[in-house]
Amino acid sequence: MKVLRDIFFLTAGLVFANCGDGNKSSDAATTDSEKDTPAVKDSALYGVVGRATTMHAVELVDEDGKATTALLNIDTEADVQGGIYCDDHLTMVVGVNGDGEKEIKKAINLTSLCGHWTSLDRNFEIMEDGTVISMQNAETHPYTHWSMVNCNLVLNRDTFDVSYLGPDSLALENDRGIFVYKRAADNELH
């Protein structure tokens, strides 16, 4: 259902972006990454995992120093990928539980996401600054930049659900399939 919703929003954004009088303006202030960013409102929270994080509550400190605490209930459908470790960068989508408390629905550890990933047809490194470095010259459409929107990974124009993020493997899913990567060993780098 999430995939259908994401497809709907992306399709609607593309239709609206292509509507107009047919004139193509060359706006020098618009970068390629701004053109590729989906037109979906991002309701996720971003920050660093705070020191007040416990086994069942995550403190997320944003760049302004504001702390938000959300419950991590393992009995519900909380989807946490990449682990939760103090001082790691994290994005999370929260909801409200039956008691009116904030509760994590999905969380992605961005520190764990960054790194060198390989598969049979792709070999790239996700950098902290939002860039992606392709290590394979034969890729026809190499990834060049990444971002997160509502805990979904956006690589160029492709949006993926992070279905698994572990210490040595990454599984991304979208309407075209499931893509599995392994973290490159130190001797495989560059």
Side-chain angles (χ1 to χ4, degrees):
M1 190 69 184
K2 289 188 322 185
V3 171
L4 291 176
R5 184 189 70 226
D6 291 344
I7 292 171
F8 171 77
F9 284 119
L10 288 173
T11 304
L14 290 173
V15 168
F16 288 122
N18 289 327
C19 290
D21 61 1
N23 295 335
K24 294 185 179 182
S25 63
S26 60
D27 185 2
T30 303
T31 65
D32 287 338
S33 63
E34 289 171 339
K35 291 177 191 172
D36 292 343
T37 304
V40 176
K41 184 178 180 330
D42 190 4
S43 60
L45 303 174
Y46 297 86
V48 175
V49 178
R51 297 287 176 171
T53 297
T54 64
M55 186 185 297
H56 297 288
V58 175
E59 178 189 53
L60 190 70
V61 181
D62 67 16
E63 62 185 23
D64 296 328
K66 180 184 172 208
T68 301
T69 301
L71 298 177
L72 177 60
N73 188 345
I74 58 173
D75 296 330
T76 64
E77 295 183 22
D79 183 6
V80 177
Q81 298 299 327
I84 296 178
Y85 308 101
C86 285
D87 299 324
D88 276 2
H89 291 271
L90 187 80
T91 181
M92 64 183 185
V93 173
V94 298
V96 178
N97 66 14
D99 296 329
E101 299 170 311
K102 290 181 182 177
E103 186 174 73
I104 296 175
K105 299 298 180 192
K106 181 152 186 151
I108 306 291
N109 186 322
L110 300 177
T111 304
S112 296
L113 180 65
C114 290
H116 188 167
W117 298 101
T118 63
S119 70
L120 291 175
D121 62 339
R122 291 219 183 248
N123 185 355
F124 58 91
E125 186 171 359
I126 297 176
M127 309 298 287
E128 288 182 21
D129 65 359
T131 59
V132 178
I133 300 170
S134 176
M135 309 294 181
Q136 192 168 329
N137 294 333
E139 285 184 34
T140 55
H141 299 289
Y143 296 132
T144 58
H145 59 275
W146 70 278
S147 63
M148 297 295 291
V149 177
N150 295 322
C151 284
N152 289 312
L153 177 62
V154 180
L155 290 165
N156 293 358
R157 288 182 175 253
D158 297 330
T159 302
F160 298 95
D161 175 44
V162 179
S163 53
Y164 180 79
L165 174 58
D168 62 353
S169 53
L170 169 67
L172 304 175
E173 182 176 358
N174 67 9
D175 59 338
R176 292 182 296 143
I178 299 172
F179 305 90
V180 180
Y181 303 93
K182 72 175 186 126
R183 194 177 296 273
D186 289 339
N187 62 353
E188 294 179 73
L189 295 176
H190 308 268

